[in-house]
Amino acid sequence: MKNITLIMSFLILSQLMNAQYSFSGKVTDKNNQQLAGVQIILSKNDSLFAVSLTNERGQFSIGNLPKAEYSLQILYPGFTPIEEQRDIFKNINAEFVLVEEMDIELDDVIITADPTNLVRRTATGEIFYLSESAKNSGDPYRALREIPRLNVNESLQTVSMIDGGKLLVLIDGKIINTGITPIDPKDIESVEVIDVVSARYMRMGVKNILNIKLKPKREPYQFFQTATRHDVPLRYSMGVVYFEVGNPKYSLYGRGALDRTVKDDSEFSTWQKDIDYFKESAGDSQTNNKVSIGELLFKWSVTENDYIAAHVYGKWNDKNTKTWGEGIFDRDQKENFSLTSADNNVADIKTASLYYKHDFTPEKTLEATLAYNKNSDNNKGERSETYPHDLYNNLFEYRSDRSSANLNIDYSWQWNKVNSLNIGSATNYINDNINKISDNVPVFHHKAWNEYLYATFSSKAGNLLYMVSAGLESIMLKAGESSNQYVRPRASLSGTYRINSNNSTRFSYTLTNQTPNVGQLNPYNTSTDPLVIIKGNPKLLPEQTHKIEASYTLNTKGFYFTPSITYNLSNDIIEPFGYKENHY
C-alpha cells in the first residue's frame, strides 16, 4: 500500500512539474476597437518560443507553455510596441491596449525629408542621420565620415571639427561614456553637432559638442577589438585592447593601451638676442617615451528611471630626452661652446567618478556627477654648457602634485513640446603643490575653490528657434602668498530662422572667461637656461572673449553648404612678457 502511495505521489509531482499552461487575451486600441493581425511573440532565453496573431475579434491564444518567465512582444504597424516580462505559472487571460505612434516635431527644423540626407537644424547646431551604407560599414569612424561637419581619421580613430577644433563627445547626452570605438554604426540613431554650447559646458572650455544618440539595447552584446602598429625601422610602436560586454541592464567597458617611442631622433636650432648679447645653438636630440593607459567603466540601469555609471582611469608616462650640440655666444667677443642636457619626466594621472541620472518623468531629469582626480609629475635633469674658460652646469628637479574634486548637479525640464529649461551647479576644489627640490625655494601652493551656477532656456516662435544661456562663476584663489577673489559671467545666445525647407540662417553670441593655469600663476623660476628666467604672475585675472557669428546653411539632395562670418574680441589677454633685469 505504501508503494502505491509513493508511485501516485511521484506521478502527480511529475504532472505538476511538466504542466502546460495557456496564454490568451485580447488586443484593442485606445478607442476599444478590436485589432486583427497583431503579432504576439514569446521569447525564452533570447530565443523565439511561440508566435500568434490576433483574429478579427482581436483575440489570440497560445497553448502548451511550460512554466517559465517569458519576454513578451506585441507588435502592430503604426502602433507603439509593448515589451514586458511575463511569468507564466498558470493559465493567463489578459487584455492589451495599443497606442498609435506619434510623429512630433519638437525644437528643431526639418530641412529635407529625404531619409538618406536628413538634416535637422536646431537652435545650436544640426542633427544628422546616417545613410544605410554608413550604418552597414561596420566601423563607427568610417560611418561618421559622412557627417560634413567632421574631420575623421579612421586609422588614428580621432574625430575633430572640419576646422581642426576639438570636440567633447557625448553618448546619449552623457558626458561619462565609452567613446566612439565600441559603437556599432547600426545602433546609431542620430548624430548631433553643437556649435553654440550652453553655459553648462562653457566653464570646461568646450567650443563644440558631438552628441551620438544610440538605439536602446534590447539583447546581450559584446565587443572586442585590438590594434597594433610598429614602425620599421623601429621608432614608434603601440598596442591597444578594447572590450565591452553587457545586456540592457548591465555593461562593463575596458581599455588597455601601451605606446612606446624608441630613439626618436630630431634636430634643433635656437637663438636668443638682447641689446648686449647674441646666442645661437644647433644640434640633435633623442627621445625615449613609454605611455600606458588603463580604463574601466561600469554602467547599470537600476530601474527604468535610474541609471548609474562608475568610471576609473589611469595613465602613466615615462619620458627621457637627451640633447647635444654646438653654439656661439657673442657679447664682447665671440665664444664657441658645446651643450648637453638630459631630462627625465615621470607623470601619472588617476581619476575616479560616479554618475547618477534619475528620470522623474520623460520630460524631467536630474543628473549628478562626483569625481576625484590625483596627478603627480616628477621632472629632473641636467643642463651643461662648456665654454673655453667657463663651465655652466645646472641640476634641477621638480615635483608637482595635484588633487582635485568636483560635484556637478544638473536638472532639465521640457514642456509644451518646444520649451526646455536646464539649470545646475558645478563645485570644484583644486590643491596644487609645486616643489623645486633642487633649489632652496619655498614650495608653491595653489588652491582654488570654484562655484558655478548656470541656466539655459530654449524654445521656438514660428520659424525661429532660439536659445539663451548664462552662468556665473565665483572663484576664490590662493597662489603662493597672493589671494584673489572674483566673479566672472559666461553667456551664450543663438537664434536660427528657417527661411524654407532647404535654407536657414543663424546668429549667435558667446561670452567666455578662461582662468589662468597653474603654470601661469607660479611665481618661481622654472627655466633651466642661465640667461632666461621664466616665472608666472599669481595676480593674473581670467581672459575674456566675446564671439559673434552669423551663418547660412543650404542643404538639398545631399549637398551641404554653410558659409559663416566670425568676429572675436578679447580682453585681459594672458601673454608672455619679456624684460631685462640684472643681465637676465
Side-chain angles (χ1 to χ4, degrees), residues 92-105:
I92 295 176
N93 186 271
E95 293 189 7
F96 300 93
V97 178
L98 292 181
V99 179
E100 291 186 61
E101 291 181 338
M102 300 183 68
D103 187 10
I104 300 174
E105 181 183 349

Side-chain angles (χ1 to χ4, degrees), residues 283-299:
D284 301 280
S285 67
Q286 186 178 93
T287 299
N288 293 276
N289 190 31
K290 291 188 295 183
V291 179
S292 55
I293 295 174
E295 182 179 16
L296 287 174
L297 174 60
F298 176 71
K299 297 181 290 185

Side-chain angles (χ1 to χ4, degrees), residues 81-117:
I82 293 177
E83 298 185 8
E84 60 182 48
Q85 296 296 117
R86 280 277 175 168
D87 191 7
I88 297 179
F89 59 93
K90 63 179 180 179
N91 295 329
I92 295 176
N93 186 271
E95 293 189 7
F96 300 93
V97 178
L98 292 181
V99 179
E100 291 186 61
E101 291 181 338
M102 300 183 68
D103 187 10
I104 300 174
E105 181 183 349
L106 298 176
D107 59 344
D108 49 28
V109 176
I110 298 178
I111 293 179
T112 174
D114 184 350
T116 61
N117 299 311

Side-chain angles (χ1 to χ4, degrees), residues 248-251 298-303 306-310 355:
K249 195 173 184 66
Y250 308 97
S251 72
F298 176 71
K299 297 181 290 185
W300 179 22
S301 296
V302 185
T303 67
D306 295 280
Y307 172 84
I308 293 176
Y355 171 83

